[in-house]
Amino acid sequence: MSRLLAAETQESAATDPPLTRINSTLRDKLPGALTQVMASAGSTGKMGAGNQLIPLMIRKLLKSLRLFALKLQLRQHGVSVKGKIRGNNVHLVNRGRIELGNNVGLTSFPDGDMSRTSLSTHTPEAVIRIGERSKLNGTTIHARESVTIKSWCLFGPGTVIIDNDSHPPVRDRDARRGDPASAPIVIGDNVWIGMRSLITKGVTIGDNAIVAAHSVVTRDVPANTLVGGNPARIIRQLD
Ligand SMILES: CC(C)(COP(=O)(O)OP(=O)(O)OC[C@H]1O[C@@H](n2cnc3c(N)ncnc32)[C@H](O)[C@@H]1OP(=O)(O)O)[C@@H](O)C(=O)NCCC(=O)NCCS
């Protein structure tokens, strides 16, 4: 399809006003987002920059396809989505419940080497809730009980939020393979978690807090504070 598009676009650029000759059949075949980009470029007379427009259109097309695939994937895994979703490529395990608010972003790095966003509920009782406009970027969440993220939060790549220990911390080899302890995690509104941080079981992070990169958060974080380090300590109050 892209070869066809390229030929058509070059021909139009050489002879006619911008994009007016793109035939309607081709237009019908393109996803809505791509058609919109082409229409707006045509109306602003920027088709002379056709060489730049084609990669842009391809990027837009790929973005639409990734979003489409994400929506299918979420539906397949029984994830509840209230309103719009943004993002591309995630890993999902849903043995419990996953609830996403309006305009949640689930992004991974399609071309980079940082983590893929991953949401896992490991028991039938487990729930992950993510509030509106919160954005995960290469972030991993594991829940055996619950992880609640409120609205407008930002999560850096490589961050892990896990409400359980995965294994009991005991000496015996067999017992270490038993069920781990778990406790709910709650992350307030407008929290920013820097990259490669770890949030452990039972932690509550107050509204507007910031967790500096590479921190290990094992205790509650008061609202409106910047914390950092391993274990994370209060660095300062936020203005
Ligand atoms: C949170 C952050 C933005 C704060 O920046 P800042 O306000 O300029 O902080 P400063 O550099 O002035 O550091 C203030 C203090 O915190 C300490 N600190 C800063 N980052 C720290 C970290 N990641 N871990 C531990 N301590 C840290 C500093 O050593 C300094 O301590 P001092 O006062 O004893 O010297 C920054 O630390 C950070 O984590 N940046 C990366 C954010 C990120 O991950 N982005 C990508 C994903 S969204």
Side-chain angles (χ1 to χ4, degrees), residues 114 137 154-157 159 192-197 210-215 226-230 232-233 235-236 238:
M114 292 294 258
N137 192 11
L154 298 170
F155 295 86
T159 285
W192 172 24
I193 313 265
M195 60 187 151
R196 295 198 190 283
S197 293
I210 299 174
V211 174
H214 284 248
S215 298
L226 166 63
V227 301
N230 179 6
R233 303 278 186 230
I235 294 174
R236 64 179 160 82
L238 294 167

Side-chain angles (χ1 to χ4, degrees), residues 61-164:
L61 175 60
L62 288 175
K63 197 174 166 192
S64 310
L65 290 174
R66 285 196 198 107
L67 182 59
F68 181 68
L70 173 65
K71 286 178 181 170
L72 277 183
Q73 196 189 359
L74 292 169
R75 186 180 299 181
Q76 237 178 8
H77 284 82
V79 174
S80 139
V81 180
K82 265 195 199 143
K84 283 188 189 163
I85 187 85
R86 294 171 294 142
N88 47 39
N89 172 20
V90 299
H91 170 255
L92 293 170
V93 173
N94 192 12
R95 299 196 179 99
R97 246 171 350 148
I98 302 178
E99 300 170 359
L100 308 178
N102 189 28
N103 260 308
V104 163
L106 300 176
T107 323
S108 299
F109 290 79
D111 310 314
D113 64 352
M114 292 294 258
S115 306
R116 189 175 174 203
T117 286
S118 171
L119 306 178
S120 305
T121 52
H122 295 284
T123 63
E125 302 76 38
V127 53
I128 296 175
R129 291 186 197 90
I130 305 180
E132 62 172 340
R133 298 245 167 219
S134 285
K135 189 172 177 214
L136 278 59
N137 192 11
T139 304
T140 299
I141 301 180
H142 288 284
R144 290 180 64 86
E145 203 161 323
S146 72
V147 173
T148 303
I149 293 167
K150 300 204 175 158
S151 60
W152 290 90
C153 294
L154 298 170
F155 295 86
T159 285
V160 177
I161 300 160
I162 178 165
D163 76 349
N164 66 87

